Amino acid sequence: MKKALALALALTMVLGLTACGGGDKPQQPAGSTPAASTPASSTPAAGPVANKDKPLVWFNRQPSNSSTGELDMTALSFNKDTYYVGFDANQGAELQGQMILDYITANIDTIDRNGDGVIGYVLAIGDIGHNDSIARTRGVRKALDTAVEEGGAIKSDAVGINADGSASAVKDGKLTIGGKEYTVRELASQEMKNSAGATWDAATAGNTIGTWVSTFGDQIDIVASNNDGMGMAMFNAWSKENKVPTFGYDANSDAVAAIADGYGGTISQHADVQAYLTLRVLRNALDGVDIDTGIGTPDEAGNVLSDDVFKYVDAERSYYALNVAVTAGNYTDFTDATKPYAPVANQLSQDGHPTKNVWLNIYNAADNFLSATYQPLLQNYDDILNLNVEYIGGDGQTEGNITNRLSNPSQYDAFAINMVKTDNSASYTALLNQ
Ligand code: BGC
């Protein structure tokens, strides 16, 4: 068995050397210890591992330039055991736009509440510098034909108030449905940031819908949101009672349940797969086995993911879960967002996978998705994977609030990091380099 694994590892390395460019399957990273000197599953040589050499996973906020979106490859390849785990933001954004368009098409006879011939929507933006947020804003605008391009990319800025359709970041869209042409207008959009600086802020969205309603009243036919936290705040504050379809993202349990009460729909970013990958990648690196173990290749307990739920992009050192639309037609399959994904819910043995200590932070303890969906999933998988995880909850505003609590990295075997801002990787790697 060990021999077979060592052989497989060696083969992977040879393929890794001959293949040009990144394939779909992760290759053993260049510079890793040759299989011959470190047989799979063997105990690492005695002596403490330097913090800078310990496995590191970035998750949910991909190290990148928050203005240009360019990936921060220095952070993504900090050491040979560094990866990012997130989801395919563009594929999910397309799905979200399509879900809203499908709803409009199916309800075209009743969607225009005041009959003024304009289908008006408002949009809650999470964080104008976060690639997930940017992708979702673009996805909605693209599907509803309100997108304006600049330098080959759809603009993702907030428009503020756009009562007459003259905003420069969007245009009035035209949709032809049933042979008839309709105008679509983004009446308003805003980054939902609170006065202390926390983004994706649900309370801000809940207040803002009140302002938008007092400006636009029944011109608002659809409410779109970059996530469910903000979407549900607007739904509960206004759209539920006024029967205005509201669309979010994340498939948090409360949002899925609200579909029965008229919430328009949401997107599952397969947090059950992401939370698994976040910890599994660390587990594999700590065990010294091929990084694909229990991911694309079954482990001895039978854990394996099929390629319809994730992809790996070697050049970006990133695992991306794939998204699924959740609407009135299928929501009953998604009611518990915190349930481990069955194909990867098999317990690992202590023998082959002894308990290791992991430091992990959630950038904002008050973020709905991370606290109500992602962290409970991590807590289920940490038992399955024999990881003793210390969870640190940040305030969503300052990196220092989190990094202050990483004062002794030597106590941990591996790290999982969720930054406040995607540009700030160095605040963490500096601590590991000390
Ligand atoms: C989620 C948001 C969340 C954000 C935090 C996104 O992927 O969809 O709900 O607020 O991550 O970084």
Side-chain angles (χ1 to χ4, degrees):
M1 180 66 183
K2 278 189 186 168
K3 257 190 186 163
L5 270 171
L7 255 174
L9 242 177
L11 191 68
T12 313
M13 288 197 59
V14 172
L15 286 175
L17 288 175
T18 46
C20 29
D24 279 342
K25 288 279 186 295
Q27 308 291 344
Q28 188 75 5
S32 60
T33 321
S37 60
T38 309
S41 304
S42 76
T43 321
V49 179
N51 293 327
K52 67 173 177 43
D53 296 326
K54 292 176 178 171
L56 166 61
V57 164
W58 307 98
F59 69 96
N60 179 261
R61 303 198 146 200
Q62 192 170 27
S64 52
N65 181 312
S66 61
S67 309
T68 63
E70 192 195 339
L71 295 186
D72 173 356
M73 288 312 298
T74 309
L76 287 163
S77 43
F78 175 65
N79 62 31
K80 71 178 177 58
D81 293 323
T82 301
Y83 296 91
Y84 170 71
V85 173
F87 66 99
D88 187 332
N90 294 327
Q91 178 252 349
E94 297 247 335
L95 275 181
Q96 191 190 27
Q98 190 60 44
M99 169 176 73
I100 300 175
L101 180 59
D102 289 347
Y103 186 95
I104 296 177
T105 308
N107 295 279
I108 195 65
D109 295 338
T110 50
I111 197 93
D112 182 10
R113 295 198 306 139
N114 66 353
D116 66 351
V118 179
I119 301 170
Y121 73 93
V122 292
L123 173 69
I125 294 178
D127 172 351
I128 46 165
H130 187 300
N131 24 10
D132 298 350
S133 188
I134 293 170
R136 293 172 202 172
T137 296
R138 288 180 171 151
V140 168
R141 291 179 177 168
K142 186 174 165 206
L144 302 186
D145 192 41
T146 53
V148 170
E149 286 202 14
E150 190 177 60
I154 294 174
K155 286 191 175 191
S156 56
D157 329 32
V159 300
I161 295 290
N162 180 35
D164 60 0
S166 63
S168 60
V170 291
K171 65 176 170 70
D172 278 356
K174 298 275 176 236
L175 294 181
T176 306
I177 297 169
K180 230 180 119 186
E181 189 171 274
Y182 297 84
T183 298
V184 187
R185 179 170 300 159
E186 183 169 308
L187 295 168
S189 53
Q190 183 185 307
E191 182 187 39
M192 298 304 172
K193 191 173 183 168
N194 71 13
S195 51
T199 52
W200 304 87
D201 191 55
T204 304
N207 291 333
T208 305
I209 190 74
T211 315
W212 285 342
V213 168
S214 60
T215 308
F216 296 110
D218 60 7
Q219 291 177 57
I220 303 175
D221 301 312
I222 291 161
V223 177
S225 174
N226 282 175
N227 81 355
D228 282 336
M230 302 182 296
M232 282 298 288
M234 297 190 289
F235 183 70
N236 288 328
W238 179 72
S239 31
K240 179 177 178 185
E241 204 182 323
N242 291 279
K243 305 210 177 326
V244 174
T246 300
F247 297 87
Y249 202 110
D250 288 341
N252 292 337
S253 298
D254 63 337
V256 172
I259 294 177
D261 303 326
Y263 194 68
T266 181
I267 302 292
S268 161
Q269 53 168 287
H270 251 310
D272 52 358
V273 169
Q274 287 181 69
Y276 174 73
L277 285 168
T278 298
L279 295 181
R280 182 72 209 213
V281 161
L282 297 179
R283 180 78 258 176
N284 288 346
L286 291 166
D287 289 346
V289 298
D290 189 306
I291 204 69
D292 198 41
T293 310
I295 299 178
T297 310
D299 66 13
E300 77 282 3
N303 295 305
V304 67
L305 293 171
S306 50
D307 56 14
D308 56 341
V309 294
F310 85 107
K311 64 178 186 181
Y312 175 74
V313 179
D314 194 41
E316 301 177 358
R317 308 274 311 164
S318 295
Y319 286 86
Y320 300 104
L322 300 177
N323 304 264
V324 190
V326 182
T327 60
N330 65 349
Y331 76 95
T332 49
D333 298 342
F334 293 83
T335 44
D336 185 0
T338 66
K339 208 173 79 200
Y341 187 56
V344 290
N346 304 311
Q347 181 68 43
L348 296 190
S349 71
Q350 269 290 340
D351 296 348
H353 315 272
T355 299
K356 297 281 181 181
N357 296 323
V358 175
W359 184 94
L360 180 151
N361 87 283
I362 299 288
Y363 92 99
N364 182 0
D367 183 90
N368 299 62
F369 168 64
L370 294 169
S371 63
T373 299
Y374 210 104
Q375 184 168 337
L377 281 164
L378 289 168
Q379 284 167 324
N380 286 325
Y381 288 120
D382 66 14
D383 293 333
I384 292 173
L385 299 174
N386 301 329
L387 294 172
N388 177 23
V389 181
E390 182 164 338
Y391 294 91
I392 304 289
D395 66 5
Q397 295 149 33
T398 53
E399 229 72 58
N401 176 278
I402 300 162
T403 51
N404 280 345
R405 287 181 278 167
L406 183 51
S407 53
N408 190 0
S410 305
Q411 285 175 338
Y412 304 95
D413 301 305
F415 307 93
I417 298 176
N418 177 213
M419 291 176 281
V420 173
K421 278 203 81 186
T422 60
D423 316 79
N424 286 346
S425 61
S427 313
Y428 298 85
T429 52
L431 295 176
L432 303 182
N433 272 326
Q434 267 169 16

